[in-house]
Amino acid sequence: MKRVLSGIQPSGNLHLGNYFGMMSRMIKYQEENDLFCFIVNYHALTTIQDKKTLSKNTLNAAIDFMALGLDPERSTFWIQSDVPQVCESTWLLSNIVNVGLLDRATSYKDKMAKGLKPNVGLYSYPILMASDILLFGGEIVPVGKDQKQHLEMTRDMAIRFNQIFGDVFVVPELDIEKTNQLVPGLDGQKMSKSYGNTIPLFGPEKAIRKRFMSIVTDSTDIDQPKSIDTALYQLYALFLNEDEQKELAERFATPGMRYGDVKQDLFECFWTTFSPYREKRDYLLNHKDYVLGQLKAGAEKAGAVADVYLSKAREAMGLNYGDAIV
Ligand code: ADP
Ligand code: TRP
């Protein structure tokens, strides 16, 4: 049994990319592992600076995750800021990280390239993420491909810390989804909240159907075979097993196929697949006290683990001065 750990930002409505890249895999992992999962609202502060938006998105993300199958009674599930020890360990780790490492972080470089003025929080984001992982002894960290660099940085920090101060932290393994490396968005780019090209997991039927209908397709004539190297095929394939994927590929290869029909079918497939989750979500929305109680219990369990690693790190670094000989 391994400790599998991952977090997700409450920076907007969760979407199919989040689901297939990370959430569904976490939910599967919980069957045979010691799962640690959290909503990273400290990280979201780097971009959301509005009280109502952040608090609403945070609770929403927690409810969505539980609706999709994350079982807080079996796994450890909490809100990042309910275990503030991660802030202390972020400071401890900050002292072993070279500025050059953070300069190379792609998420930061991308924002700079877009002309945004990043705050210090965004700059040190990878250290907070490393804290999230190291403070709970995460062994396997399932994330989408876009988080690979952050995980490599985490490994570097753990190795460096252990070299300088002795073995304190577990060096985590990367676990990047190999088949569906990145879920495409409506426009074919990576589906991302920041690109406005997402298909949300929950919302009114009409609005979500409209999103599916707006998946970008090419202008291949109806009498011609259609390419499967497209967002429409790739999105549909996420819901299908191997045989069904072959059938879909044949449908694309057969002249006469209308993109509009495929989009309708894909929407129906999505809507049916997510129907039990919508019901569970409605239930949880009506039982907010249960949700809050589970999150509180999760934070207590996670906090106890954090305390152990933090006290080892403090001791190793010389912050416990009581036994010093003067
Ligand atoms: P976003 O890019 O929409 O802000 P996040 O950065 O909050 O998404 O990502 C949360 C998790 O979902 C991460 O593990 C990330 O790798 C994964 N993820 C996000 N978008 C995709 C995508 N298009 N395909 C696969 N995984 C994704
Ligand atoms: N940076 C991750 C993202 O944007 C979220 C995250 C924060 C995370 N802390 C983590 C993921 C710890 C895995 C483990 O998706």
Side-chain angles (χ1 to χ4, degrees), residues 6-23 25 40 125 129 141-148 176-177 180-185 189-195 197-198 238:
S6 195
I8 192 158
Q9 287 201 57
S11 51
N13 283 337
L14 298 178
H15 54 76
L16 282 180
N18 300 140
Y19 181 69
F20 287 106
M22 184 269 206
M23 303 170 89
R25 293 195 295 136
V40 298
Y125 182 113
M129 177 158 163
V141 186
V143 281
K145 192 177 150 202
D146 54 339
Q147 295 298 314
K148 188 164 177 251
I176 313 285
E177 170 60 289
N180 318 311
Q181 283 215 323
L182 275 181
V183 175
Q189 287 190 77
K190 172 204 152 171
M191 186 178 288
S192 172
K193 282 162 240 154
S194 37
Y195 300 154
N197 63 355
T198 64
L238 293 167

Side-chain angles (χ1 to χ4, degrees), residues 11-66:
S11 51
N13 283 337
L14 298 178
H15 54 76
L16 282 180
N18 300 140
Y19 181 69
F20 287 106
M22 184 269 206
M23 303 170 89
S24 66
R25 293 195 295 136
M26 286 292 277
I27 290 159
K28 260 187 228 138
Y29 267 123
Q30 84 184 334
E31 286 159 25
E32 285 172 7
N33 291 280
D34 176 19
L35 196 88
F36 274 50
C37 185
F38 42 97
I39 309 296
V40 298
N41 56 344
Y42 278 144
H43 278 104
L45 276 177
T46 59
T47 49
I48 301 182
Q49 289 166 354
D50 176 71
K51 172 182 166 172
K52 252 197 198 154
T53 311
L54 185 63
S55 54
K56 182 174 166 223
N57 285 359
T58 303
L59 189 57
N60 223 339
I63 290 178
D64 285 358
F65 226 135
M66 284 169 66

